[in-house]
Amino acid sequence: MDKTLRKAFGKIERWDYVDDGSTFPKGTNVAQFAYYKTENSAGWATLDIGRVNDKTRVTHSFTGIGAELPQQSFPPAIRAMEKAGRVLKADCNLDLSGMELKAVGQSVEALN
């Protein structure tokens, strides 16, 4: 996955962490791949992958740091997320198409 995202987006950032129970069950080892960010680095598109029991769990999100993101930040982020979905399906057989996009904490006009 790392190689595929790097090929599609250039430089990516990867963080490995142990979840505190906010997204994955507490204590889950998670690899986070940040493959897109806004020009001011206030918004990031990431894939988080962790093993939960005998299954692999994936979250795919675009989140902001601090105040609400401007509405114009969302269309390019959504396009990047769609591209990530296409390349991961083609290269890694990881199908993200069933994941629902929804706004959390902020109304997003691009999702309407």
Side-chain angles (χ1 to χ4, degrees), residues 7-9 14 31 35 43 45 50-51 55 58 65 68-69 71 73-74 78 89-91 95 97 104 106:
K7 184 171 66 172
F9 294 97
R14 177 183 171 156
Y35 60 87
R51 193 86 175 142
K55 298 188 184 334
V58 177
I65 301 168
E68 286 190 358
L69 293 168
Q71 290 296 321
S73 298
F74 291 93
I78 291 169
K89 184 174 183 179
D91 289 4
D95 188 358
S97 64
V104 178
Q106 178 177 345

Side-chain angles (χ1 to χ4, degrees), residues 5 7-9 35 78-89:
L5 290 172
K7 184 171 66 172
F9 294 97
Y35 60 87
I78 291 169
R79 286 191 297 273
M81 293 174 79
E82 290 168 342
K83 178 180 179 180
R86 285 191 309 273
V87 299
L88 290 170
K89 184 174 183 179

Side-chain angles (χ1 to χ4, degrees), residues 1 12 16 18 23 25 32 34 38 43 45 48 51-52 72 78 84 87-89 92 96-97 101 107-108 110-111:
M1 217 167 61
I12 66 166
D16 294 297
V18 177
T23 304
Q32 181 178 72
T38 59
D48 292 50
R51 193 86 175 142
V52 177
Q72 66 266 23
I78 291 169
V87 299
L88 290 170
K89 184 174 183 179
C92 304
L96 303 176
S97 64
L101 294 177
S107 176
V108 178
L111 296 180

